[in-house]
Amino acid sequence: MIKYHSVWIFGMAAIMAAMTGAADAQALQGNNGPPAVLQRRPLPPAPVQWQAVLDRLARVRASRQGPGVVARLVKSELDKTELPVLLPREGVLDTAKARLMSFGDAYALDLPQPKGVHITAYGNRTFLPAPAGAVSRRPITRLKDVAEDIRITQMEDGWTATFTRYGMVYSLDVSCDDAAAPECKTDGFLKTVITQFDDVGLGARAQAEAERFRANANQTGSLVDQLTKSFRDLTKGG
């Protein structure tokens, strides 16, 4: 489980709970985790900030060379993902073996790197309540050219970073087969990885939701324009 702000984010334990039941999931992950968490009722899926997503897509498509990493993902997995998939720009990270696993309102993106280094990105729009202050004590990191506050934590075999973007919660993990590898000895490589994840991909479900948002926004804008014009006409007539 990954904690962030005032929510618990569904990790693999919660996915197991959905498939096998809370008791079986607790048994699968051992008896060290908090059993009550998996039995809490999830909150409704968080709303995506689609305008920010569409703005970012427009900028990325205008600047990137070629189709980007999204073209390497299995289409069926991407299409059933209901939130924006954060992707790295090409050139710094090895994206040749990128593999997406989607659960609809959550996903995991695996990016194997050379020399036993592993990058895994997670996105989620469904949350469980967490005790107040459970995460706020974790220090915040600010990175150049990254707008969001980042919370970085050391793991046994590497580092993990958590942040919000487009109203969703995302996590980036760097782990190493050799814990003494330079990529895992400090959080420096993880910070570089974070700065590379500035592309975004949308599958069929997410694209459809984004298009509905765009249509509603255009309709609302037209209505406001009509009301403004009517008000101006009435003012002139008076």
Side-chain angles (χ1 to χ4, degrees), residues 76-83 85 100 102 104 106-107 203-206:
S76 60
E77 291 295 315
L78 181 64
D79 281 346
K80 67 183 181 182
T81 308
E82 299 167 0
L83 67 157
V85 176
L100 178 68
S102 176
Y107 73 82
R205 289 188 183 178

Side-chain angles (χ1 to χ4, degrees), residues 19-40:
M19 295 188 294
T20 65
D24 291 339
Q26 185 64 27
L28 285 170
Q29 68 171 357
N31 296 320
N32 296 325
V37 170
L38 293 179
Q39 300 171 15
R40 296 176 187 170

